[in-house]
């Protein structure tokens, strides 16, 4: 039983660290490509969980070597089924399949990149010198217990606006502008 608790804590920690490494090396994928994302939740009481884990290794404790089954763990420290059901319903409406990991502290999601991006309002943020990152936003009633969304990566968006503005500029000038000019020279030449 002790190993189960240690395994659950180690598994969640490993998921977080593994996903950070994988996400930083992730490549943009097509928007219809199936992806897997994991959501890690806070335990219902972090203090009680920490105290319980320590009590299982304290010879003076009533819980010494008294380990919980995944079901008992879920009842004591996992997220309530009602909260997980709200999450599953929200994602199901967005065509994302869900599975609850034993212990009720994580969800596994499977769906297309487009559906994930929409469900999480994912945004791409490029950063110079460091890997780009993806931010997400969830409804407040769902977000309050989320520790991390692991594996959510949206690639650099294709910009229709950029293509449109080049077309508009070409049309306004009657020819394709010389984009090799330095920004000041370009602005002066084309009156921008």
């Amino acid at each position: 039983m002790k190993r189960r608790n240690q395994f659950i804590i180690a598994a969640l920690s490993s998921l977080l660290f593994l996903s950070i490494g994988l996400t930083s090396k992730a490549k943009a994928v097509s928007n219809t490509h199936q992806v897997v994302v994991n959501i890690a939740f806070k335990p219902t009481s972090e203090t009680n969980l920490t105290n319980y884990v320590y009590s299982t290794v304290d010879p003076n404790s009533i819980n010494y070597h008294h380990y919980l089954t995944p079901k008992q763990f879920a009842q004591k420290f996992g997220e309530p089924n009602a909260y997980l059901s709200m999450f599953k319903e929200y994602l199901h409406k967005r065509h994302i399949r869900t599975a609850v990991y034993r212990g009720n502290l994580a969800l596994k999601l499977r769906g297309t990149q487009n559906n994930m991006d929409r469900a999480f309002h994912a945004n791409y943020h490029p950063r110079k010198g460091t890997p780009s990152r993806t931010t997400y936003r969830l409804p407040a009633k769902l977000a309050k217990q989320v520790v991390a969304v692991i594996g959510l990566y949206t690639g650099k968006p294709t910009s229709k606006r950029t293509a449109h503005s080049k077309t508009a500029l070409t049309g306004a000038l009657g020819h394709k502008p010389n984009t090799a000019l330095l920004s000041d020279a370009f602005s002066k030449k084309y009156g921008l």
Side-chain angles (χ1 to χ4, degrees), residues 6 30 37 48 72 108 110 173 180 189:
Q6 290 172 337
S30 77
V37 171
N48 288 346
Q72 290 170 325
K108 180 179 182 177
R110 185 179 304 270
L173 298 173
K189 181 171 181 168

Side-chain angles (χ1 to χ4, degrees), residues 1-164:
M1 299 283 189
K2 175 182 174 185
R3 288 187 179 161
R4 282 186 185 166
N5 283 346
Q6 290 172 337
F7 174 75
I8 290 170
I9 292 168
L12 285 173
S13 298
S14 297
L15 276 173
L16 288 171
F17 289 113
L18 178 62
S19 70
I20 291 167
L22 289 175
T23 302
S24 67
K25 295 178 184 174
K27 302 278 187 219
V29 294
S30 77
N31 290 339
T32 58
H33 178 75
Q34 289 286 311
V35 295
V36 174
V37 171
N38 288 284
I39 301 175
F41 300 110
K42 296 176 190 175
T44 51
S45 172
E46 293 178 52
T47 303
N48 288 346
L49 175 57
T50 301
N51 291 339
Y52 185 82
V53 170
Y54 283 122
S55 74
T56 63
V57 293
D58 178 2
N60 298 320
S61 170
I62 191 171
N63 293 324
Y64 182 64
H65 287 185
H66 180 259
Y67 308 108
L68 303 174
T69 65
K71 185 176 180 179
Q72 290 170 325
F73 183 92
Q75 290 170 341
K76 277 186 98 125
F77 306 112
E79 286 301 325
N81 288 332
Y83 175 72
L84 296 174
S85 292
M86 280 191 319
F87 234 111
K88 289 166 69 173
E89 182 180 326
Y90 172 81
L91 294 166
H92 178 74
K93 288 178 182 177
R94 284 145 185 89
H95 309 286
I96 296 172
R97 293 184 311 244
T98 60
V100 178
Y101 285 103
R102 292 169 51 172
N104 287 10
L105 285 184
L107 277 179
K108 180 179 182 177
L109 317 177
R110 185 179 304 270
T112 65
Q113 186 68 52
N114 267 346
N115 290 343
M116 292 289 183
D117 289 350
R118 279 190 223 115
F120 288 93
H121 304 280
N123 288 308
Y124 172 79
H125 297 278
R127 298 187 296 178
K128 272 192 168 179
T130 59
S132 58
R133 66 187 182 103
T134 297
T135 58
Y136 65 89
R137 195 175 74 249
L138 286 165
K141 67 181 180 179
L142 298 178
K144 64 183 179 179
Q145 292 302 104
V146 174
V147 172
V149 177
I150 305 160
L152 181 64
Y153 177 82
T154 188
K156 183 176 181 179
T158 56
S159 178
K160 291 181 181 178
R161 183 175 157 206
T162 303
H164 175 71

